[in-house]
Amino acid sequence: MSVTSRYRDSWEGFWRAAPASPGGVFWDADPAVTSAHHLAFFEPRLLDAALPLVDLGCGNGTQTRFLADRFPRVIGVDLAAAALDHARRADPAGRAAYRRLDAAAQGETEALHAELGDANVYMRGVLHQCEPDDRQPLVDGVAALLGGTGRAFLVELSEAARPLLEDLAGGPAGPPPKLAPVLSHGIAPGEVADEAVPVYLAAAGLTVLASGELPLTTTEFTPDGTRIELPSRWLLAGRAM
């Protein structure tokens, strides 16, 4: 099973229209307030930090490039070729590798695992933007990439983020400028119930090894100048040893 063409087209359209400037996308916050924070929870819990690291749903590669300075081999993968175009242009030195991947397609993730061997996976905000029928196949794809020794660090918006997003979208002035393109391309964030994520992981044969809460920092601000932060949850998952 793979993603619907509508979903793929939505992301291609979004990234083709996205600005190339840093921070031009709603969730494209500086790594200092995103993946750098996540590393404190992720890195010490890895079985093997020397495994390849797959940044799943890498988008324009902002977090991928940061991670490539901290792990020996980092591969940014994304469904949208337009996103990978952004990532490669922003990484002329080739600090990371980038490739297109439909992570909900079993054959594609199994092929990447056959090439890389077991890998660690970093995935930020991907599951809650998926079509419902693609969520379990996506998590199955994460499990395929991990193999027996990899660990996955997943960050997803919590249920509490949805009413906040709805308030932002429905304000008198309309959605903030960086949220508006997300909505206009048919991408609906905040659609996964908190309790559903561990269920998807268990069905894929993975165990939640640690979890917690962190705000998801965005690049957008309220009219009074306050940076918008959305409640999110992180989970570390892998095969039970």
Side-chain angles (χ1 to χ4, degrees):
M1 181 177 182
S2 64
V3 299
T4 64
S5 59
R6 186 208 65 80
Y7 178 68
R8 183 185 293 106
D9 291 346
S10 293
W11 279 109
E12 289 288 2
F14 173 84
W15 282 112
R16 280 196 297 270
S21 56
V25 172
F26 183 67
W27 54 78
D28 189 32
D30 190 280
V33 295
T34 49
S35 50
H37 283 188
H38 299 152
L39 276 182
F41 302 97
F42 178 31
E43 196 169 18
R45 293 181 167 96
L46 296 176
L47 283 179
D48 186 353
L51 293 179
L53 176 66
V54 176
D55 182 8
L56 201 162
C58 69
N60 62 2
T62 298
Q63 312 307 319
T64 319
R65 296 188 295 277
F66 173 84
L67 294 167
D69 288 337
R70 284 145 184 84
F71 293 94
R73 185 181 184 189
V74 175
I75 303 96
V77 302
D78 203 280
L79 175 67
L84 298 172
D85 289 341
H86 279 281
R88 293 188 182 103
R89 284 195 296 268
D91 187 10
R95 290 148 66 186
Y98 304 94
R99 65 177 66 187
R100 191 172 186 180
L101 180 79
D102 178 353
Q106 181 180 8
E108 294 193 27
T109 52
E110 288 178 346
L112 185 56
H113 179 264
E115 175 186 338
L116 300 176
D118 289 0
N120 296 313
V121 172
Y122 176 74
M123 189 174 85
R124 184 174 72 103
V126 176
L127 187 63
H128 73 262
Q129 295 172 347
C130 282
E131 299 281 356
D133 288 346
D134 290 323
R135 292 170 190 160
Q136 187 63 60
L138 171 66
V139 178
D140 293 343
V142 170
L145 293 171
L146 299 185
T149 59
R151 292 287 182 261
F153 189 80
L154 314 180
V155 183
E156 294 294 334
L157 292 181
S158 67
E159 286 179 55
R162 185 170 183 177
L164 297 178
L165 287 165
E166 289 174 346
D167 287 345
L168 288 170
K178 293 178 187 176
L179 179 59
V182 179
L183 303 176
S184 67
H185 282 90
I187 300 163
E191 295 292 329
V192 180
D194 294 346
E195 66 271 15
V197 181
V199 174
Y200 290 132
L201 290 166
L206 301 177
T207 299
V208 176
L209 305 169
S211 63
E213 297 182 0
L214 281 174
L216 189 148
T217 304
T218 77
T219 61
E220 189 60 276
F221 296 83
T222 63
D224 67 4
T226 302
R227 185 185 288 273
I228 296 172
E229 294 185 338
L230 300 172
S232 70
R233 296 179 57 81
W234 63 266
L235 300 95
L236 183 86
R239 308 283 180 189
M241 303 299 289

